[in-house]
Amino acid sequence: MICASILIALLLWQLAVIWSGFPSFILPSPALVWQRLGQVVSDGTLLRNSLVTLSEVLLGLALGVFIATLLGYLLSKSLPFERLLSPYIIASQSLPVVAIAPLMVIWFGPGMLSKVLICALTVFFPILINTVVGMRTVSDDLRDLMRSLHASRWQTLRLLEIPAASPVFLGGLRIGATLAVIGAVVGEFVGAQGGLGYLINLGRGMYDTALVFVAVFTLMTMAMGLYSMVTLIERRLLRWQQRPR
C-alpha cells in the first residue's frame, strides 16, 4: 500500500513537471532529484550534513525532555508553583521559533550549541504539558492505596505515577520528536556551518533545486524515523496495557 502511494506520488510529480513546463531550477523531475541524491551520497555530503542535524536533534530532544519532564513533575505537585510560572511559560511559547533562533545564534554562536538549545525550546512546551496532564490523571484512590501500603515517595513515583502517566507523556514525546527536527532546521537556516538546513540554503543560493529536494526528503525521512522509534518504544513500554486475547 505504501509502495503504491509512493509510485502514484512520483507519477503525479512527473506529470506536473511535463505539463507545467517549468525549468529544472524551479521544479526538477524525480529522475534529476534521484541523480542529485546519488551524487551527494557518493561524495559523503549528505551523510556528513545529516549526522550534524541528527546530532542536534537528539541532543536538543534529550535536553528538552529532561528539563520539561522535571519541571512538569514539579508543576503537577504544586498548584501555586504552576500559577506562578504558567504566564511566563505560555508567553515564551507564544513567540515563534523563527524569532528566537537569531537571538540564540547571536548569543551562542553558529555552532551546535545554539541549534541544540533551539531544539530544546521547540520540544519543551508539548512535553511539559503532557507531563503535567499525565501526572494529574493518576487516580486519587490509587494514591491513597499506596499510602495505606506505606509506600515511599520514590516507590509511588516508580510503581504508580510513571506507569500511569506514560501513555500521555509518550504521546507528547511523539510530537516533540518531529518538532525537534523543525527546530534544528530553523536554527541552521539562521546560521550554520553544516546540516541539512545548511544544504537547503546552499541549494537555494545556487538555484540547485534538486539538492533542496534531496535535503527536504532526508528531513522527512529523519522525522518519520524518530516518530517510528518513539512509537516502538511506546508499544514496548505499554505492553501492560494490552489485554490478553
Side-chain angles (χ1 to χ4, degrees):
M1 191 66 180
I2 297 178
C3 294
S5 64
I6 294 175
L7 291 175
I8 293 173
L10 291 175
L11 178 60
L12 293 175
W13 181 2
Q14 183 63 43
L15 291 175
V17 172
I18 296 173
W19 289 339
S20 66
F22 290 142
S24 60
F25 68 88
I26 294 180
L27 182 62
S29 65
L32 184 59
V33 174
W34 180 260
Q35 180 183 359
R36 195 70 177 93
L37 173 63
Q39 293 173 355
V40 293
V41 168
S42 61
D43 62 15
T45 300
L46 184 63
L47 178 60
R48 183 171 60 254
N49 288 279
S50 297
L51 289 178
V52 171
T53 300
L54 183 61
S55 300
E56 296 166 353
V57 169
L58 293 179
L59 291 174
L61 182 62
L63 179 62
V65 168
F66 175 76
I67 297 176
T69 303
L70 181 61
L71 184 58
Y73 177 77
L74 296 176
L75 291 177
S76 68
K77 294 296 183 179
S78 175
L79 188 57
F81 189 46
E82 180 186 5
R83 290 175 177 173
L84 177 65
L85 292 184
S86 289
Y88 302 101
I89 295 174
I90 295 173
S92 67
Q93 292 303 310
S94 64
L95 295 173
V97 66
V98 292
I100 302 175
L103 293 176
M104 291 295 173
V105 174
I106 292 172
W107 292 340
F108 300 100
M112 182 176 291
L113 178 59
S114 59
K115 314 307 182 300
V116 170
L117 293 177
I118 293 170
C119 290
L121 288 174
T122 306
V123 306
F124 175 79
F125 192 68
I127 300 296
L128 174 70
I129 295 301
N130 281 47
T131 301
V132 174
V133 173
M135 295 299 296
R136 289 182 176 172
T137 57
V138 181
S139 172
D140 291 334
D141 293 336
L142 293 177
R143 294 183 188 274
D144 293 338
L145 176 61
M146 296 298 289
R147 294 191 192 97
S148 67
L149 296 174
H150 302 288
S152 64
R153 180 172 296 182
W154 167 248
Q155 289 174 326
T156 302
L157 175 65
R158 182 171 60 89
L159 299 176
L160 174 61
E161 293 176 337
I162 291 180
S166 292
V168 180
F169 171 79
L170 291 172
L173 185 59
R174 279 190 286 176
I175 300 173
T178 55
L179 291 178
V181 178
I182 299 175
V185 174
V186 170
E188 291 171 353
F189 279 166
V190 176
Q193 301 167 345
L196 294 173
Y198 169 80
L199 274 188
I200 293 175
N201 272 337
L202 181 64
R204 181 186 61 182
M206 300 172 59
Y207 290 95
D208 189 355
T209 312
L211 179 61
V212 175
F213 271 75
V214 169
V216 169
F217 287 145
T218 305
L219 286 170
M220 292 171 57
T221 304
M222 184 181 297
M224 292 171 61
L226 291 172
Y227 185 90
S228 300
M229 186 181 302
V230 175
T231 302
L232 179 62
I233 295 173
E234 183 178 6
R235 289 177 182 174
R236 296 204 171 186
L237 291 179
L238 301 182
R239 283 180 178 176
W240 56 273
Q241 285 190 332
Q242 298 178 1
R243 297 179 179 179
R245 297 182 180 178

